[in-house]
């Protein structure tokens, strides 16, 4: 049923899709049945083609914010791919502070599976929009997490850096990330110290050999 509804979009036109299909689409995004949600996520291109990515993104972002804080961790994890679908089809100028915050909030999630998807999301955003933009718009907010009072957040940001460092410029990694990672090697929490050591090993492969 979920797929059939979306296939109607290319038949009934933009106005009817907006009036009849869009409300049902937003409702099905939060359906309790995992298969229904997966079907909607896989066929989102059908409604996107009918309405345009910018218009659909503006309508869907409030729903995505709800999905990102849903009580079901699977729904929160699944919403990551939908979030990237929209931002990867929009110019980076449209990615505002609210969207950046949502992307970063995924790596603060209480469920590891959601945090893991968030790490991949941030790396994909960096690769899609290029490192120069990411280093200016997103990295300052991520660097603040190195000083988080929660040891879990400090550990998570180290894991996130392992994913991100290969996608960032060597100069940025050496100037900003290396000092922060090195500082956590003396963290009071053992798991954080171990994660710091692992990140430092990864960092060696990223930095120029002469450094």
């Amino acid at each position: 049923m979920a797929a059939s509804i979306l296939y109607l979009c290319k038949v009934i036109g933009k106005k009817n899709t907006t009036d009849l299909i869009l409300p049902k689409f937003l409702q099905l995004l939060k359906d309790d049945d995992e298969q229904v949600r997966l079907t909607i996520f896989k066929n989102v291109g059908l409604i996107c083609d009918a309405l345009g990515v910018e218009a659909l993104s503006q309508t869907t972002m409030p729903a995505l914010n709800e999905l990102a804080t849903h009580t079901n961790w699977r729904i929160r994890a699944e919403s990551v791919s939908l979030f990237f679908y929209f931002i990867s089809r929009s110019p980076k100028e449209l990615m505002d502070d609210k969207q950046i915050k949502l992307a970063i909030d995924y790596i603060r999630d209480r469920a590891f599976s959601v945090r893991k998807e968030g790490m991949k999301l941030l790396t994909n955003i960096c690769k899609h929009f290029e490192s120069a933009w990411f280093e200016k718009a997103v990295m300052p907010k991520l660097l603040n997490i190195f000083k988080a009072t929660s040891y879990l957040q400090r550990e998570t940001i180290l894991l996130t850096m392992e994913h991100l460092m290969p996608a960032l410029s060597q100069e940025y990694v050496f100037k900003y990330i290396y000092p922060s990672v090195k500082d956590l090697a003396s963290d009071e929490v053992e798991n954080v110290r171990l994660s710091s050591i692992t990140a430092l090993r990864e960092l060696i492969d990223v930095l120029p050999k002469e450094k």
Side-chain angles (χ1 to χ4, degrees):
M1 175 185 172
S4 300
I5 289 175
L6 294 183
Y7 275 110
L8 286 173
C9 295
K10 55 185 177 183
V11 177
I12 64 177
K14 184 174 182 178
K15 185 179 186 306
N16 286 329
T17 296
T18 301
D19 295 341
L20 303 175
I21 306 297
L22 183 58
K24 190 65 177 177
F25 167 77
L26 296 174
Q27 178 185 341
L28 290 174
L29 284 177
K30 296 176 283 186
D31 196 276
D32 291 334
D33 189 302
E34 182 177 3
Q35 193 57 48
V36 171
R37 298 194 307 272
L38 288 174
T39 300
I40 289 295
F41 291 153
K42 289 178 181 178
N43 292 282
V44 67
L46 296 172
I47 190 170
C48 190
D49 290 342
L51 300 182
V53 65
E54 186 173 344
L56 184 59
S57 178
Q58 291 175 354
T59 306
T60 307
M61 283 310 298
L64 271 174
N65 277 286
E66 290 184 33
L67 294 176
T69 57
H70 199 279
T71 54
N72 186 327
W73 68 265
R74 289 183 176 84
I75 292 181
R76 300 199 303 274
E78 289 165 4
S79 71
V80 175
S81 60
L82 187 61
F83 178 69
F84 184 67
Y85 177 90
F86 286 117
I87 62 175
S88 65
R89 286 159 177 78
S90 305
K92 58 180 176 286
E93 290 77 15
L94 293 181
M95 189 164 181
D96 56 22
D97 287 341
K98 290 182 179 179
Q99 293 178 344
I100 292 173
K101 180 183 183 301
L102 177 58
I104 293 175
D105 281 347
Y106 281 117
I107 66 169
R108 291 190 172 112
D109 196 274
R110 59 186 178 275
F112 177 74
S113 294
V114 180
R115 297 198 299 274
K116 186 176 180 180
E117 290 301 313
M119 296 174 205
K120 295 177 184 177
L121 170 66
L122 290 168
T123 303
N124 288 334
I125 292 173
C126 181
K127 291 178 178 178
H128 181 74
F129 288 137
E130 300 182 348
S131 61
W133 174 85
F134 192 89
E135 289 165 6
K136 182 178 180 180
V138 183
M139 280 305 303
K141 298 176 177 62
L142 288 176
L143 290 175
N144 288 334
I145 303 177
F146 277 97
K147 299 178 180 179
T149 55
S150 166
Y151 84 88
L152 189 57
Q153 288 192 26
R154 299 198 301 276
E155 186 177 4
T156 300
I157 194 62
L158 288 166
L159 293 172
T160 303
M161 289 303 115
E162 289 183 40
H163 286 78
L164 273 174
M165 285 188 295
L168 299 169
S169 67
Q170 293 179 337
E171 292 76 13
Y172 191 92
V173 170
F174 182 72
K175 185 175 181 180
Y176 295 103
I177 297 179
Y178 170 65
S180 297
V181 172
K182 185 180 178 182
D183 285 346
L184 290 185
S186 57
D187 194 271
E188 60 185 11
V189 178
E190 182 179 5
N191 282 352
V192 176
R193 296 197 299 271
L194 292 174
S195 295
S196 175
I197 292 171
T198 302
L200 285 170
R201 288 172 181 164
E202 294 291 329
L203 195 144
I204 291 174
D205 294 330
V206 175
L207 294 180
K209 299 304 179 184
E210 63 270 18
K211 293 180 180 178

